[in-house]
Amino acid sequence: MTPTPVIPVAGAELPSPVVPRPAALLILARDGEEGLEVFMLQRTGKADFVPGANVFPGGGVDAADSEPGIAAFAGELNDATASAALGLPAGGLGYWVGAVRECFEEAGLLLAQRRDGDALDFAQPEVAARFAELRRALNAGRTTFAELCAAESLRLTLDRMVYFAHWITPVGMNRRYDTRFFVAPAPLGQLASHDEAETVDSVWIRPADALERHAQGSFSLVYATRETLQALSGFATVADLMAHARGVSGIAARMPRVGTGPKGRHVVGPRDACYAELGFIDPHGHGQALCQIVPGTAVRLAEGVWRLTAANPSYMTGPGTNTYLLGDAEGVTVIDPGPADPEHVRAILAHAPGPITQILVTHTHSDHSPAAALLKAQTGASVIGLPAPPGVQDQTFAPEYCPEDGDSIPTRAGTLQVLHTPGHASNHLCYLHPATRLLFSGDHIMQGSTVVINPPDGDMRTYLASLERLLAEDIGHIAPAHGFLMDDPQGVVRELIAHRLRREAVILRALQTDGPATTEALLPRVYAHISGPLKKVAARSLQAHLDKLEKDEKVSLQDGVWHATNAGTEGG
Ligand SMILES: [Zn+2]
């Protein structure tokens, strides 16, 4: 078999990413006959940045947007307040002013009034004509925004704008912006128009319609605009939108990344499963890292570390079982060789950069350890792990060395530290690789689905304790046996614990409010939304929770019926 080419990783010789330029944009909203509408411009196909895309008015924040003189036109808003709202030490006011200036330049809409409080009346032809000329002069650089404001005795109505979102252009793009999105009601009595230069068309459109037209292929949108329209589509009126926006604080920056999918390069966001992995293996944003897990295709995760996924996808195994290879031409360590699939074993042998000397397993479920015997027969490598409990799981697994918690296992790619993490399985081990700060987590943590705790070998109480202990380890990313690399390990672990405790609280509450029940009667009360094959899995999880609650003395079993105890009632 010809080895599949390994995905290359960005090297140190590559240029540093472009530093994003500060930018601001203004989403103007109005109440249309069929609901909230926003103003969008279509960029010229000749534009350097996102040609042909439909966008909100906006652009780069100029130095002049932050000059001290501009504060005179900013009304109540000062730089300290503006910066605080954006989470910046200083310079925040420039984003507000830049958004208004860009919106006037690009759309002809000016979020301003006279200093005496009068609205700008573009219904008067001479006023409209004068401002049209001022817009041309501003676009041509014949006047500055501050001069324009002074000449027309304007006060910018920045108090009508609310900070709404923060997007940063993906690493790897040759033009990048760090953009603050604002929302505001459209100024009354003004007519929006595109400039026929940078922008060639414009439209007031319902966010849902824009998304619909995009889906049909007739309305080009970039990722951040699409996500923003998705958020905007949840509001029926301008008042709803503004009330919501005023109530939000602590807006996090979002930075999409570029990866390669079945149809070529595309942008992915933080909600996509591959997002964290793209940041880890392609920090310079070259876009060649894969957005999907392809069985038989090796992915290079770091120097001397690869992932190769077995072709056993299912509702239990997600995209398939991940086998990890660590090492070099001198020797290779395999973690979780996978199911007894000769094709997968052949792929492991083909992708190993050198002779396989060690086979490690995380636990002895049938999708993780059975290939150890096949691989051992072909390589003579030493087999490391803990044996299966008597009579269940993979009885063919015959480790020559049973590591203990805290042991170090040397590999050609650096030492692995053994963490005994019972819970999913009593013999479960995780392997921490300090050189990369990757935790090979087996099934202790998997991506995209809840780990099954199947008693009696699975144990919820020890599972939660094994999660807790990970909080003390120095982990950068989790490398699960199912799914992509995951970042924010502390957050992931805390949420997994919280999820189980929430479920436990639901079970306790069901017993308290609806009275004692058998396991069978409890199942639909606790897992109402689950059907099909997952129902069996849910029944095992419920049993695991009840076992834990019994050990915690919060429930007791009497003649096959579960009762909440006083401790459960007080504690729950
Ligand atoms: Zn398992």
Side-chain angles (χ1 to χ4, degrees):
M1 155 178 181
T2 320
T4 317
V6 166
I7 303 297
V9 171
E13 78 283 3
L14 295 160
S16 338
V18 175
V19 175
R21 189 182 160 198
L25 63 74
L26 184 51
I27 301 164
L28 291 173
R30 72 178 189 189
D31 289 314
E33 280 179 11
E34 288 174 37
L36 180 133
E37 295 174 345
V38 292
F39 184 71
M40 298 190 75
L41 296 155
Q42 191 188 4
R43 295 178 64 81
T44 163
K46 298 178 201 131
D48 292 338
F49 189 70
V50 294
N54 291 279
V55 298
F56 303 109
V61 173
D62 292 343
D65 296 325
S66 300
E67 66 163 281
I70 206 81
F73 309 104
E76 301 283 294
L77 192 68
N78 58 39
D79 192 60
T81 317
S83 300
L86 300 183
L88 292 171
L93 187 60
Y95 287 86
W96 257 266
V97 173
V100 173
R101 176 186 53 71
E102 283 283 339
C103 186
F104 181 56
E105 289 179 5
E106 293 194 343
L109 294 173
L110 185 52
L111 218 57
Q113 62 190 27
R114 303 289 183 196
R115 292 201 86 89
D116 58 17
D118 285 354
L120 297 179
D121 188 4
F122 286 14
Q124 293 181 39
E126 79 279 6
V127 175
R130 205 167 65 242
F131 274 85
E133 174 48 33
L134 285 168
R135 181 185 175 192
R136 279 192 293 275
L138 191 60
N139 273 321
R142 296 197 303 271
T143 186
T144 68
F145 197 46
E147 286 166 0
L148 183 158
C149 291
E152 291 289 332
S153 303
L154 297 181
R155 182 174 74 76
L156 304 177
T157 47
L158 305 181
D159 52 336
R160 308 197 75 198
M161 294 164 61
V162 182
Y163 177 39
F164 188 67
H166 183 188
W167 287 90
I168 301 172
T169 316
V171 175
M173 301 274 188
N174 50 15
R175 269 179 191 239
R176 298 184 65 212
Y177 294 98
D178 181 328
T179 310
R180 309 298 182 134
F181 288 37
F182 298 89
V183 289
L188 296 174
Q190 299 183 25
L191 206 58
S193 63
H194 48 278
D195 62 8
E196 298 287 3
E198 274 185 66
T199 57
V200 293
D201 202 359
S202 56
V203 64
W204 284 97
I205 189 164
R206 288 172 61 229
D209 292 342
L211 291 166
E212 174 71 26
R213 284 178 58 188
H214 172 73
Q216 288 165 1
S218 61
F219 200 73
S220 172
L221 295 169
V222 298
Y223 187 89
T225 317
R226 218 158 64 224
E227 289 283 302
T228 305
L229 287 165
Q230 195 69 52
L232 292 168
S233 68
F235 300 100
T237 65
V238 176
D240 286 350
L241 168 62
M242 298 310 295
H244 168 86
R246 285 189 196 283
V248 174
S249 61
I251 290 170
R254 281 180 285 178
M255 187 180 75
R257 291 176 176 148
V258 182
T260 298
K263 292 179 188 164
R265 296 210 170 172
H266 66 101
V267 176
V268 301
R271 287 202 305 265
D272 291 294
C274 64
Y275 180 79
E277 180 163 311
L278 294 188
F280 185 76
I281 68 176
D282 183 19
H284 291 267
H286 291 272
Q288 83 282 41
L290 293 181
C291 297
Q292 84 263 43
I293 288 179
V294 184
T297 297
V299 174
R300 185 183 161 184
L301 299 173
E303 183 68 38
V305 183
W306 293 263
R307 179 184 63 221
L308 182 63
T309 304
N312 63 334
S314 75
Y315 72 94
M316 293 294 289
T317 59
T321 303
N322 291 331
T323 296
Y324 293 97
L325 307 178
L326 284 80
D328 58 18
E330 302 294 314
V332 176
T333 297
V334 173
I335 300 177
D336 278 352
D341 171 6
E343 189 57 43
H344 185 56
V345 170
R346 272 195 290 276
I348 293 171
L349 289 165
H351 285 99
I356 294 172
T357 57
Q358 300 186 106
I359 303 162
L360 274 55
V361 311
T362 58
H363 64 302
T364 47
H365 284 156
S366 62
D367 56 327
H368 291 259
S369 58
L374 306 184
L375 207 51
K376 163 91 181 169
Q378 299 205 41
T379 62
S382 42
V383 175
I384 298 169
L386 300 179
V392 292
Q393 300 177 20
D394 175 19
Q395 294 294 317
T396 70
F397 183 66
E400 291 148 274
Y401 168 55
C402 298
E404 288 179 18
D405 185 77
D407 280 0
S408 292
I409 299 176
T411 83
R412 293 287 307 168
T415 303
L416 290 169
Q417 289 171 5
V418 177
L419 280 71
H420 185 211
T421 48
H424 170 69
S426 59
N427 64 357
H428 196 288
L429 303 172
C430 291
Y431 300 99
L432 180 60
H433 188 228
T436 55
R437 296 173 68 231
L438 288 173
L439 177 76
F440 299 99
S441 69
D443 281 357
H444 188 40
I445 297 171
M446 50 171 98
Q447 194 190 36
S449 69
T450 306
V451 167
V452 174
I453 307 298
N454 185 13
D457 188 52
D459 185 295
M460 189 63 76
R461 218 172 182 219
T462 53
Y463 177 64
L464 291 178
S466 295
L467 284 173
E468 285 275 355
R469 71 157 292 182
L470 292 184
L471 295 172
E473 302 293 339
D474 180 23
I475 304 166
H477 285 73
I478 295 163
H482 306 280
F484 293 93
L485 295 187
M486 300 154 77
D487 64 3
D488 185 21
Q490 296 268 332
V492 167
V493 169
R494 285 183 204 286
E495 175 49 32
L496 287 174
I497 295 169
H499 170 77
R500 300 293 181 158
L501 295 180
R502 283 196 298 270
R503 181 70 68 184
E504 183 174 303
V506 169
I507 295 166
L508 262 186
R509 214 158 41 236
L511 287 174
Q512 288 157 3
T513 52
D514 304 335
T518 62
T519 310
E520 294 69 33
L522 260 179
L523 186 63
R525 289 197 218 158
V526 177
Y527 292 92
H529 54 289
I530 285 180
S531 61
L534 284 175
K535 211 161 168 181
K536 255 192 187 151
V537 178
R540 299 313 298 158
S541 277
L542 175 59
Q543 188 63 52
H545 278 294
L546 288 166
D547 290 349
K548 173 178 181 291
L549 286 166
E550 191 179 26
K551 284 181 205 145
D552 293 345
E553 298 181 354
K554 291 182 178 175
V555 303
S556 65
L557 186 62
Q558 295 157 31
D559 301 325
V561 178
W562 294 102
H563 298 253
T565 65
N566 287 338
T569 307
E570 285 155 21

